[in-house]
Amino acid sequence: MTVSAAELLGELLDPGSFVSWDRPPVPVAASPGYRGDLLAAAATAGTDESVLTGEGLLRGRRVAVIACEFAFLAGSVGVAAAERIVSAVERATELGLPLLASPTSGGTRMQEGTVAFVQMVKVAGALAVHKAAGHPYLVYLRDPTMGGVFASWGSLGHMTFAEPGALVGFLGPRVYQALYGKKFPEGVQTAENLYRNGVIDGVVPVSVFRRIVHRALTVLCDGPVPLPEKAGDAMPPALGSGSFPAGPRERVAVLDTAEVHAWQTVLISRRGDRPGIRELLRHVTDRVPLSGTGQGELDRTVVHALARFRGQPCIVFGHDRAGQSPEHTMGPAALREARRSMHLAAELRVPLVLVIDTAGASLSREAEERGLAPEIARCIADLVTLDTPTVSVLLGQGTGGGALALLPADRVLAAANGWLAPLPPEGASEIVYRDTWHAPELAAAQRIRAVDLREDGIVDRIVHEYPDAAEEPADFALRMVEAIAGELAGLTARSPAELLAARHLRYRRLGLRT
């Protein structure tokens, strides 16, 4: 049974907090028959148009809302409904409010013809202005959401969720059968299928969406929380520029790290029980998972989410070692997901944290034909010019272009046994010696270890392992989370122009002896 707009708002917002922004619908040209349809729809739905707009509180936070009413001519959008939507978007932008939208609609209102069809342009334009101003736009698709509504304001959210079992798609199955004389394939236009294919971020009931919105807006709207001062001689979590003077245990860790052979580092990083990005995310707060590119691609070798690291808000994206295997490595879709995270970070004006932990990008016909190399290039270019603070974390293996694509950042941290190389040492050995037996020798010669990378100006700080992160996964993850939080706090205190200038100079000088 379709949830009404009033029921949706009642579940989503704090009780009694909704305040309508709606004015009487603007007049539209209408035949006598259409006028009768409008009057009948109003009597059936109990609303004067197919959308309700206004504001309310969500866990005490002021938000703007737009909700479709399907009982009013199947939630179709004509001139009056579109004008109401655009006015609400513009008001939310002017007030600086996050905007929540919940469409359920058959699409454009056929009774008003092409002029109704092109209303989606002005709706999309208003939302583009709202998002460009740095205000969040979150979408909850209800059953059904079809046609021009899905192809405009239903698909422009920074995050998009849908109710379980919702019919969501472009061309309605009844219209498809009428046009093509056969049924549309079963199971395609469902919320669950779109989630599996990376079009939307999740399928949840309204009660869960309310919790997701609260977490997301806590990350996106509340700003950073000052880090607590450390008392006494507490040991710093990392080594490198900006560290406190080393204590006895820290000096031992530096010595141990420097003495570990590069090949041993490689072997340690490949342990199956080594903590990865998911272990880090267990120690952050206000986490909201994202999924896919939003454009029909999903790669299970990567993870991205909104989160707070010790009170520092960010978008985090990285390689997921749990999703990788020799037969399943990151492909072009993973890099397009990375670029989605970069775009979101810039548009929402929050820092971006990138986690490198990959055995390499996919070597396959499909990866080549779908643009793996160009996506690596675009990721690098986007990161170098991104207008928001960035932190890159070399957590484990850092092989090839798949690692390089996430490297260029304002600050680069490395786990003590993290490493970065153009190829796995075995691959480098094959190129130089035509065998893999010289892999340990090549690993040392190429200076792939974290300590070598720091000396060469590629890495800024090293986060300890005592002696191996796999032996102390929780403690290591806590140290890394704290180190990331410290970097985020320092970077957010600097202006975007200052960050961009410093980032340009940093990478311009790479490899040059001074």
Side-chain angles (χ1 to χ4, degrees):
M1 183 176 177
T2 302
V3 175
S4 72
E7 290 170 335
L8 179 280
L9 295 175
E11 284 194 63
L12 186 62
L13 300 175
D14 296 349
S17 68
F18 176 68
V19 177
S20 175
W21 287 352
D22 293 336
R23 297 177 179 176
V26 298
V28 297
S31 67
Y34 179 34
R35 290 193 184 281
D37 290 342
L38 292 172
L39 290 172
T44 299
T47 63
D48 60 359
E49 247 303 340
S50 63
V51 291
L52 302 181
T53 72
E55 65 172 275
L57 301 179
L58 194 153
R59 294 199 179 183
R61 183 190 304 276
R62 191 179 176 194
V63 296
V65 290
I66 300 171
C68 265
E69 176 51 69
F70 192 79
F72 193 104
L73 295 180
S76 57
V77 174
V79 172
E83 183 61 27
R84 182 170 285 183
I85 292 168
V86 170
S87 296
V89 175
E90 291 173 340
R91 186 167 178 178
T93 305
E94 181 182 353
L95 295 172
L97 295 179
L99 177 60
L100 315 180
S102 183
T104 172
S105 173
T108 299
R109 189 167 298 171
M110 294 295 106
Q111 295 92 328
E112 295 182 24
T114 300
V115 70
F117 173 54
V118 299
Q119 294 300 302
M120 300 305 101
V121 176
K122 74 180 186 184
V123 172
L127 286 168
V129 172
H130 181 81
K131 293 165 67 178
H135 306 311
Y137 175 52
L138 308 182
V139 174
Y140 185 68
L141 306 173
R142 283 147 58 221
D143 179 44
T145 302
M146 304 296 294
V149 170
F150 182 48
S152 58
W153 55 290
S155 292
L156 291 174
H158 289 116
M159 302 177 66
T160 303
F161 292 82
E163 73 172 328
L167 176 70
V168 180
F170 182 56
L171 187 62
R174 186 161 58 88
V175 176
Y176 179 91
Q177 185 166 5
L179 291 175
Y180 300 106
K182 56 183 179 181
K183 289 187 176 181
F184 195 83
E186 291 288 334
V188 174
Q189 294 178 319
T190 66
E192 288 78 5
N193 187 54
L194 296 184
Y195 170 58
R196 285 192 296 269
N197 285 279
V199 178
I200 63 176
D201 291 301
V203 179
V204 296
V206 178
S207 59
V208 176
F209 180 66
R210 172 180 160 89
R211 294 200 297 269
I212 289 171
V213 172
H214 171 67
R215 289 182 187 174
L217 297 184
T218 297
V219 173
L220 299 174
C221 299
D222 286 355
V225 176
L227 294 176
E229 294 289 335
K230 289 193 173 185
D233 297 322
M235 185 184 63
L239 292 175
S241 56
S243 295
F244 295 101
R249 186 181 178 189
E250 185 175 353
R251 285 194 292 272
V252 171
V254 174
L255 179 63
D256 289 347
T257 300
E259 289 183 347
V260 172
H261 190 278
W263 182 241
Q264 185 65 23
T265 288
V266 172
L267 296 179
I268 290 172
S269 74
R270 290 174 175 173
R271 282 186 57 166
D273 55 351
R274 183 175 176 83
I277 187 172
R278 291 183 183 275
E279 184 67 34
L280 297 188
L281 291 175
R282 290 188 186 100
H283 299 280
V284 303
T285 58
D286 300 310
R287 184 174 73 253
V288 179
L290 302 172
S291 181
T293 61
Q295 300 173 16
E297 292 183 289
L298 178 67
D299 193 316
R300 298 296 183 186
T301 68
V302 294
V303 168
H304 50 145
L306 305 181
R308 278 181 176 265
F309 284 71
R310 296 289 184 272
Q312 305 301 305
C314 68
I315 290 175
V316 57
F317 175 90
H319 304 120
D320 179 16
R321 61 173 35 243
Q324 300 178 63
S325 68
E327 299 77 29
H328 188 207
T329 52
M330 63 177 295
L335 296 166
R336 286 189 271 273
E337 289 190 55
R339 293 180 65 212
R340 179 196 176 193
S341 290
M342 297 173 198
H343 178 76
L344 286 175
E347 193 164 70
L348 291 166
R349 301 176 188 177
V350 293
L352 176 65
V353 173
L354 300 150
V355 178
I356 299 169
D357 195 1
T358 178
S362 177
L363 301 176
S364 67
R365 174 178 176 174
E366 181 186 27
E368 296 290 352
E369 291 178 345
R370 294 180 66 189
L372 177 66
E375 284 300 331
I376 292 171
R378 293 184 189 107
C379 278
I380 295 170
D382 287 355
L383 275 178
V384 169
T385 57
L386 197 66
D387 192 17
T388 196
T390 52
V391 175
S392 184
V393 180
L394 186 55
L395 196 60
Q397 298 185 82
T399 301
L404 189 65
L406 306 188
L407 180 73
D410 298 310
R411 295 284 287 176
V412 179
L413 308 184
N417 288 306
W419 55 275
L420 180 70
L423 283 173
E426 298 92 334
S429 177
E430 179 63 35
I431 289 175
V432 176
Y433 295 104
R434 298 185 180 277
D435 64 44
T436 59
W437 301 108
H438 291 79
E441 180 181 335
L442 263 295
Q446 289 189 319
R447 297 177 57 79
I448 69 174
R449 299 176 306 168
V451 288
D452 301 320
L453 298 172
R454 186 180 60 185
E455 288 181 10
D456 291 337
I458 298 169
V459 161
D460 298 297
R461 299 178 67 182
I462 297 175
V463 176
H464 301 316
E465 302 180 38
Y466 294 115
D468 176 348
E471 303 294 336
E472 43 139 21
D475 289 345
F476 168 77
L478 287 167
R479 284 197 300 277
M480 183 61 83
V481 166
E482 189 161 347
I484 293 169
E487 297 295 348
L488 291 174
L491 291 171
T492 53
R494 303 169 68 182
S495 71
E498 184 183 0
L499 288 173
L500 282 170
R503 193 186 305 152
H504 172 78
L505 187 60
R506 171 196 181 98
Y507 291 103
R508 178 65 181 84
R509 289 176 173 173
L510 268 180
L512 300 179
R513 301 275 183 187
T514 55

